[in-house]
Amino acid sequence: MDKIRITGGLPLNGEIEISGAKNAALPLMAASLLTDQPLEFDRVPDLRDVASLIEILEELGVACAYDAQKKTLKLHAARLSSCLAPYDLVRKMRASILVLGPLVARHGEAKVSLPGGCAIGTRPVDMHIDALRELGAEIELAEGYIHARAPGGLVGAEIHFPKSSVGATENIMMAATLAKGVTVLHNAAREPEIVDLGGCLVKMGAEIEGLGTDKITVRGKSFLRGTAHSVIADRIEAGTFAIAGVMTGGALLLKNAEIGHLGAMIDPFHKAGVDIAEVAGGVSVRRVKDVLRGVDIMTEPYPGFPTDLQAQMMSMLTIATGAGMVTETIFENRFMHVPELLRMGADITVHGSSALVRGVKKLKGADVMATDLRASVSLVLAGLVAEGATSVHRIYHLERGYENIVGKLKAVGAKLEKLKDDGED
Ligand code: UD1
């Protein structure tokens, strides 16, 4: 397993090109199962999660051709050879569940492993399953698999999601495009990645209204066609680098980033003393004064503050003046970065789903362990401003979601390198 060693204290200045969004690319790839014609995507990031989904799609019989230089991905599901997404592949990534809806819609059957380790626990998939049942699928859960059957095809229905779910909205929206009649998704999620997926489905011939609102209406079609589509910029990557820039006291231009997708950061950034603005070609970000001020944030579904930027924002608050309260409302147990930040000298007290972060003058370099994707990157950010060297171990997670993060940070002045971690299992 690899680690990243960072020497802290250098400001980041210059331009960083933001990659295509992982969370948009994954559902778009799953949409290839809905048509026997080819789909061609560009701006597909070269990430482990993308590679994992390619493996699953290939297993199902989809011809996949990824060009990591050009970031193009061609997918052609002319004929599906299997409806089974096995445990060994699905366990690597929860988003694999996104093949369920499209598969059962087009193939009439799908057998997808429950995503690893989180089936019944903190990240269930009950809303995906319940909604597919409402579309007429018969679903059995046995031996760790979801077995869905709809031999006569799915039938449109009124779906009321009990809470906002990105994945369930995407899965059911895709399934509904091939269902007979009209499906209405109430309490649908509104994330830009869903709008991107919907836009591509419309180009494929789907009839969808209400994208970006909490009520999405889909009029089912008997078939969809192929198309070409460009993946939107990754707002989480952009937000992460924005935070890195201001933590280090530098000024960054985030090329391709969309200010409209970063709306929830604007207010906390302004209160913290950070200037973030749309400029030609992207978004610029820099501190207004020498010091950052503590601010409160609470994660919420879009357009609220994204849970996927919570850990990074907490890293920023560790070095701000004064205190800030971070409240996580989307996922339980998403403070796994806290004990690691404490090892670096941060002052954080967790009370249930809130963490009180009191700023300290300096973080100190340490050996820390990455536990999930966003927790990992928050430790890299902390390392960039810490005194001395920080080694972030188990960077496997980081590589699931950040394309060439070491190269991108080095290019704007950071001192860091990826090393073999021989002391690790
Ligand atoms: C997606 C993102 C992830 C982000 C999350 C929330 C992708 C590939 N991943 O994950 O990066 O952190 O949105 O913005 O896009 N829930 C249920 N039952 C379900 C489904 C979800 O209870 O059937 C709960 C979850 O446990 C969580 C909440 O709903 O508490 C929101 O989760 P959801 O929006 O579904 O997250 P994902 O789609 O898995």
Side-chain angles (χ1 to χ4, degrees):
M1 219 174 281
D2 295 335
K3 66 179 174 186
I4 290 180
R5 193 180 144 86
I6 308 155
T7 306
L10 298 168
L12 305 187
N13 283 298
E15 293 181 4
I16 300 184
E17 179 142 354
I18 301 303
S19 299
K22 166 181 90 74
N23 287 353
L26 298 174
L28 286 165
M29 290 166 67
S32 67
L33 294 165
L34 291 166
T35 172
D36 62 0
Q37 296 183 14
L39 286 183
E40 200 169 330
F41 297 113
D42 64 21
R43 291 223 317 208
V44 176
D46 186 8
L47 295 172
R48 205 170 281 207
D49 274 7
V50 168
S52 296
L53 190 52
I54 287 176
E55 267 190 82
I56 293 178
L57 292 174
E58 283 177 338
E59 178 79 20
L60 300 172
V62 183
C64 305
Y66 183 54
D67 184 327
Q69 293 301 314
K70 294 190 184 136
K71 314 284 182 212
T72 57
L73 174 61
K74 290 182 191 160
L75 300 173
H76 193 185
R79 205 182 54 83
L80 298 175
S81 55
S82 160
C83 64
L84 174 73
Y87 173 72
D88 268 357
L89 299 179
V90 172
R91 73 185 166 91
K92 295 185 191 164
M93 181 183 59
R94 178 180 159 83
S96 317
I97 189 73
L98 292 171
V99 301
L100 180 67
L103 258 187
V104 73
R106 166 145 169 245
H107 202 65
E109 185 172 5
K111 198 169 172 187
V112 177
S113 171
L114 283 159
C118 54
I120 312 294
T122 50
R123 287 181 83 175
V125 288
D126 55 323
M127 291 200 277
H128 301 243
I129 293 171
D130 291 347
L132 270 182
R133 280 197 173 117
E134 287 178 68
L135 294 182
E138 280 170 30
I139 301 188
E140 252 181 286
L141 298 181
E143 292 158 2
Y145 278 82
I146 306 166
H147 193 177
R149 264 172 281 199
L154 297 172
V155 182
E158 296 271 329
I159 311 282
H160 294 264
F161 289 118
K163 63 173 156 175
S164 174
S165 162
V166 176
T169 302
E170 292 167 343
N171 223 342
I172 303 310
M173 181 167 78
M174 286 193 277
T177 60
L178 290 181
K180 288 187 199 83
V182 179
T183 299
V184 185
L185 306 182
H186 299 273
N187 198 18
R190 294 181 283 169
E191 271 68 1
E193 294 75 18
I194 296 170
V195 179
D196 198 32
L197 170 66
C200 179
L201 293 170
V202 168
K203 286 196 250 172
M204 292 166 72
E207 214 182 311
I208 305 176
E209 275 166 35
L211 288 166
T213 75
D214 63 1
K215 184 179 164 197
I216 298 178
T217 305
V218 184
R219 266 168 245 281
K221 299 282 175 187
S222 51
F223 72 95
L224 296 181
R225 56 180 178 264
T227 192
H229 188 80
S230 188
V231 179
I232 54 168
D234 195 317
R235 64 194 167 99
I236 305 301
E237 189 199 21
T240 301
F241 287 132
I243 295 170
V246 303
M247 282 176 76
T248 62
L252 289 179
L253 169 65
L254 308 168
K255 279 172 73 182
N256 302 330
E258 294 230 15
I259 193 87
H261 294 169
L262 295 170
M265 294 188 83
I266 293 175
D267 184 52
F269 261 6
H270 282 167
K271 286 183 179 146
V274 172
D275 186 41
I276 180 167
E278 185 173 19
V279 291
V283 168
S284 78
V285 64
R286 62 176 184 89
R287 280 192 206 177
V288 180
K289 292 197 181 130
D290 270 356
V291 291
L292 290 167
R293 284 189 298 274
V295 287
D296 296 344
I297 56 152
M298 180 159 85
T299 65
E300 286 175 315
Y302 191 85
F305 193 91
T307 175
D308 286 351
L309 285 172
Q310 179 257 105
Q312 299 89 313
M313 200 66 177
M314 192 182 298
S315 267
M316 184 182 106
L317 294 176
T318 63
I319 54 155
T321 305
M325 179 77 92
V326 175
T327 304
E328 172 62 52
T329 72
I330 310 289
F331 293 114
E332 314 151 25
N333 198 18
R334 212 179 194 184
F335 284 147
M336 280 160 335
H337 41 289
V338 170
E340 303 302 305
L341 290 171
L342 294 179
R343 290 170 57 76
M344 298 178 71
D347 181 350
I348 306 169
T349 315
V350 175
H351 302 275
S353 60
S354 291
L356 177 63
V357 188
R358 294 187 178 89
V360 295
K361 278 224 161 57
K362 269 273 170 213
L363 294 176
K364 295 199 168 55
D367 282 274
V368 288
M369 186 89 87
T371 47
D372 72 40
L373 174 52
R374 309 304 170 183
S376 315
V377 84
S378 75
L379 302 175
V380 172
L381 301 191
L384 290 173
V385 295
E387 233 166 43
T390 296
S391 289
V392 182
H393 298 263
R394 293 210 178 158
I395 56 163
Y396 167 85
H397 295 286
L398 203 58
E399 294 177 340
R400 288 187 38 217
Y402 287 92
E403 186 176 44
N404 184 25
I405 187 166
V406 170
K408 286 188 183 189
L409 286 172
K410 263 190 176 166
V412 290
K415 195 170 167 200
L416 76 172
E417 57 190 332
K418 192 166 139 179
L419 299 165
K420 279 267 162 276
D421 199 352
D422 294 330
E424 282 279 315
D425 54 330

